[in-house]
Amino acid sequence: MRKTGFVWDEKYMWHDTGNALGVLPPDGKFQPWIHFENPETKRRLKNLMDAYGLTPRLERIYPLAATVEQVKYVHTAEYIERIKTMSADKGGNAGESAPFGPGSYEIALLAAGGCITAAHAILDGVVTNAYALVRPCGHHAEADRGRGFCIFSNVAITVKDILSRNDISRVAVVDWDVHHGNGTESVFYENPNVLTISLHEDSLYPYNTGAIEDRGEGVGEGFNINVPLPPGCGGGAYHAAMERIVLPALKTFKPDMILVASGLDASTWDPLGHMMLLSTHYRSMTQQILDTATQICQGRLLVCHEGGYSAGYVPFCGIAIIEALSGEQSGVIDPFSKYESSWQLLKPNQEEAINKALQAAVILTATG
Ligand SMILES: [Zn+2]
């Protein structure tokens, strides 16, 4: 019987990114509005789960805060100290577009720690797989600076932490956030024991990373796969990218565990991406990875929430993923799924982009 863990802490919602004009800090020249990275998307997902009785059917995992030693697996001591000091005062900006308020240092430790706690729960057999609904997100954060709403690199810290166990030697990370997983990539760029795969909108954010040619370096060459996709991709393109690149690479690499950096900002309603996924597609991508995990690593799969900025639609995508992971049916019917259209079919320009990425990933995909 499958048991799905669920990481949640109310404190995640207290991370305060302040007002903004979407992503632009208030400057007195325009009416301030909300910051796109605000608690609503994730809170509404949790609320929908509660309203439909899904939450109690999952195994609640209470996050332990990451220790400074764990965060140092990825980040410099100076950076960690800087965030701690700013957080104890009024907050500030962790680097590039990573605003935070008082207390966010502790919340960011709890976000990284939530992913770590869930990973060990899976490896210890307490749960089969898990969904970590954490905030702030992590995949853009670099060793010495926060970027793109991310403070600490939740997934990379977790991978480093579980690699210190003697029952784990290889881990794969699949990042389907609409933005490139630059932070995670940078941590493992020369590491052949961690396969990092990022599906993202070409040249969106960061603007100059995520190229097909960035395949890893030294002994890590070939163990980083970037699949930059043209704007407008829907279920057809993502399904093809999964079938042709992601799943064969995972099957060849044979990790002991798979983590998904799960941004829900490739949805058709997202203000920060230009893709067209529906909850049905997030459900089927989760099923594809879950089936592969069952084949190659005893179903060990941890899905960590990253971006996703449509407060109206993120909850439906999140529920679809959690239903696929757990095999539970919440009864939620996505009212937006009727907008499925021919745009969801694989288009020639999308196929061309996928074929290019496939050629660069041939070391892992050819024998899979
Ligand atoms: Zn994103």
Side-chain angles (χ1 to χ4, degrees), residues 139-140 177-179 265 307-309:
H139 72 149
H140 294 308
D177 189 285
V178 79
H179 306 101
D265 43 12
Y309 308 99

Side-chain angles (χ1 to χ4, degrees), residues 137 139-140 148-150 175-180 204-205 262-266 270 272-273 306-309:
C137 43
H139 72 149
H140 294 308
F149 322 148
C150 302
D175 186 325
W176 61 42
D177 189 285
V178 79
H179 306 101
H180 175 230
L204 181 59
Y205 184 86
S262 179
L264 305 182
D265 43 12
D270 199 275
L272 290 181
E306 294 279 357
Y309 308 99

